[in-house]
């Protein structure tokens, strides 16, 4: 295994680097990625970082990721990644390794990625090596901006608190016409498929990054919390004064990604305000 040399690292350019070793277990039909280390600059954002690996197989794309580690200039992970992959698929498969950061609002960003062909040529199996991450990675998104909010549950009072803080990078096909118009957020509390109650924030002037800082409170018995969800819809106004949807997201155990993990964190931490960024979708 090549040792990490601080002097050598200092001579590299500012692009982040990833150390890795790829092995294949024929008996388990699994691809293993170990010896994971990352070198980043002091200018790269995020409080924590992790490595995500993905590979396409006959049933779709499989993913695995390391634990979050405090981001330092040189970060190492003890655990590896295990990805199911049939041996006959190795020659045509591509392994994607992505270095991601996470800030205090649990907003995940991409620092860079490596695409590795598994035909045995570009990535010798069993050999540990460093690779330079491509940093021009853009998050895949069909969304229309992001919204920052916090949620908390007060068991003694049977109250769910939703604080709409702000949004950023709002855009839509009608965005030019909506500039200067008012923007609000409609919040709907649901239990399974049933809508229990909906409320709406005050209106903020439509800028790309509007701010609300408004709390919305719902009465919700503790026994309904697990199967409940909160839907958010950011609304603008068209020239005729009619409401126009700019994007939405839904928090709950039915969801995936940050929308599910936000709800899970709230369930684990009663009475504590948990804030996260969420991508808005059309």
């Amino acid at each position: 295994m090549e040792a990490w040399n601080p002097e050598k690292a200092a001579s590299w350019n500012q692009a982040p680097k990833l150390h890795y070793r790829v092995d294949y277990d024929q008996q388990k039909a699994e691809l293993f990625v170990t010896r994971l280390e990352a070198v980043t600059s002091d200018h790269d954002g995020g409080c924590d970082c992790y490595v995500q690996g993905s590979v396409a197989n006959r049933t779709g794309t499989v993913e695995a990721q390391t634990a979050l580690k405090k981001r330092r200039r040189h970060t190492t992970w003890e655990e590896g990644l295990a990805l199911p992959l049939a041996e006959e698929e190795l020659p045509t498969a591509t392994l994607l390794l992505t270095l991601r950061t996470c800030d205090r609002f649990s907003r995940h960003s991409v620092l860079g990625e490596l695409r590795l062909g598994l035909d045995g040529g570009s990535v010798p199996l069993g050999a540990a090596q460093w690779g330079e991450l491509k940093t021009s990675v853009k998050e895949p998104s069909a969304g229309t901006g992001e919204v920052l909010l916090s949620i908390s549950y007060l068991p003694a009072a049977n109250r769910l608190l939703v604080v709409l803080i702000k949004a950023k990078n709002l855009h839509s096909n009608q965005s030019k016409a909506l500039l200067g118009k008012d923007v609000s957020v409609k919040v709907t509390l649901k239990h399974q498929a049933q809508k229990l109650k909906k409320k709406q924030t005050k209106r903020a002037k439509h800028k790309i990054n509007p701010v609300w800082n408004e709390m919305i409170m719902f009465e919700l018995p503790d026994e309904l919390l697990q199967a409940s969800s909160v839907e958010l819809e950011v609304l603008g106004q068209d020239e005729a004064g009619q409401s126009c949807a700019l994007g939405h997201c839904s928090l709950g155990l039915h969801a995936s990604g940050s929308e599910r993990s936000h709800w899970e964190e709230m369930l684990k931490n009663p009475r504590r305000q948990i804030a996260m960024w969420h991508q808005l979708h059309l």
Side-chain angles (χ1 to χ4, degrees):
M1 172 181 173
E2 180 186 354
W4 180 71
N5 186 322
E7 293 182 4
K8 180 180 178 181
S11 69
W12 286 343
N13 61 34
Q14 293 299 305
K17 310 293 187 300
L18 187 69
H19 185 271
Y20 61 93
R21 170 176 165 161
V22 180
D23 293 279
Y24 186 76
D25 188 318
Q26 291 178 313
Q27 288 187 330
K28 294 183 178 180
E30 284 186 329
L31 194 70
F32 290 96
V33 186
T34 56
R35 308 282 183 86
L36 288 165
E37 305 176 45
V39 174
T40 57
S41 75
D42 293 333
H43 303 293
D44 294 323
C47 306
D48 302 299
C49 61
Y50 63 100
V51 179
Q52 182 182 62
S54 65
V55 66
N57 62 18
R58 64 182 62 172
T59 59
T61 300
V62 292
E63 296 182 347
Q65 68 182 49
T66 66
L68 280 173
K69 294 291 289 286
K70 182 73 175 176
R71 192 184 70 78
R72 307 180 187 280
R73 290 195 67 184
H74 180 213
T75 309
T76 61
W77 289 267
E78 291 73 26
E79 82 270 30
L81 306 174
L83 299 159
L85 185 68
E87 186 174 4
E88 60 269 22
E89 295 180 277
L90 271 173
T92 58
T94 299
L95 172 65
L96 176 64
L97 295 177
T98 307
L99 180 62
R100 293 174 175 264
T101 61
C102 179
D103 65 16
R104 64 191 182 95
F105 295 120
S106 295
R107 182 174 179 237
H108 298 247
S109 302
V110 172
L111 276 188
E113 69 177 19
L114 273 176
R115 289 185 179 273
L116 307 170
L118 299 175
D119 54 6
S122 57
V123 184
L125 295 180
Q129 56 189 324
W130 286 96
E132 182 175 308
L133 299 175
K134 293 185 178 180
T135 56
S136 59
V137 181
K138 292 187 177 179
E139 287 282 359
S141 170
T144 59
E146 296 173 278
V147 61
L148 175 62
L149 68 142
S150 71
I151 54 176
S152 65
Y153 186 71
L154 308 178
N158 286 333
R159 287 179 179 173
L160 177 67
L161 305 181
V162 182
V163 180
L164 278 305
I165 303 172
K166 59 184 177 180
K168 65 185 299 184
N169 299 327
L170 290 183
H171 60 275
S172 72
N173 293 334
Q174 308 102 324
S175 59
K176 290 183 179 179
L178 293 169
L179 284 174
K181 301 292 183 180
D182 293 335
V183 179
S184 60
V185 182
K186 181 170 71 174
V187 184
T188 303
L189 175 66
K190 297 177 66 176
H191 179 254
Q192 297 176 344
Q194 181 183 3
K195 293 182 180 180
L196 300 180
K197 185 169 283 191
K198 61 182 178 181
K199 297 185 178 182
Q200 196 159 331
T201 67
K202 63 187 178 184
R203 292 175 176 176
K205 281 295 181 185
H206 187 336
K207 299 177 181 177
I208 293 177
N209 307 317
V211 177
W212 293 281
N213 282 327
E214 184 173 343
M215 177 185 290
I216 287 179
M217 182 176 64
F218 294 105
E219 301 286 339
L220 182 66
D222 183 64
E223 61 269 17
L224 299 184
L225 186 61
Q226 283 275 136
S228 294
S229 61
V230 168
E231 291 186 354
L232 295 96
E233 187 174 25
V234 179
L235 300 171
Q237 283 184 305
D238 60 20
E239 291 296 331
Q242 298 297 312
S243 291
C244 176
L246 297 177
H248 69 89
C249 66
S250 179
L251 278 59
L253 296 182
H254 69 288
S256 60
S258 67
E259 296 171 4
R260 179 186 177 94
S261 61
H262 199 173
W263 198 262
E264 289 175 335
E265 285 298 307
M266 177 200 67
L267 293 174
K268 294 177 191 173
N269 300 278
R271 297 174 296 278
R272 179 182 166 193
Q273 286 280 343
I274 309 291
M276 286 192 189
W277 282 99
H278 296 286
Q279 183 73 50
L280 292 170
H281 308 279
L282 285 176

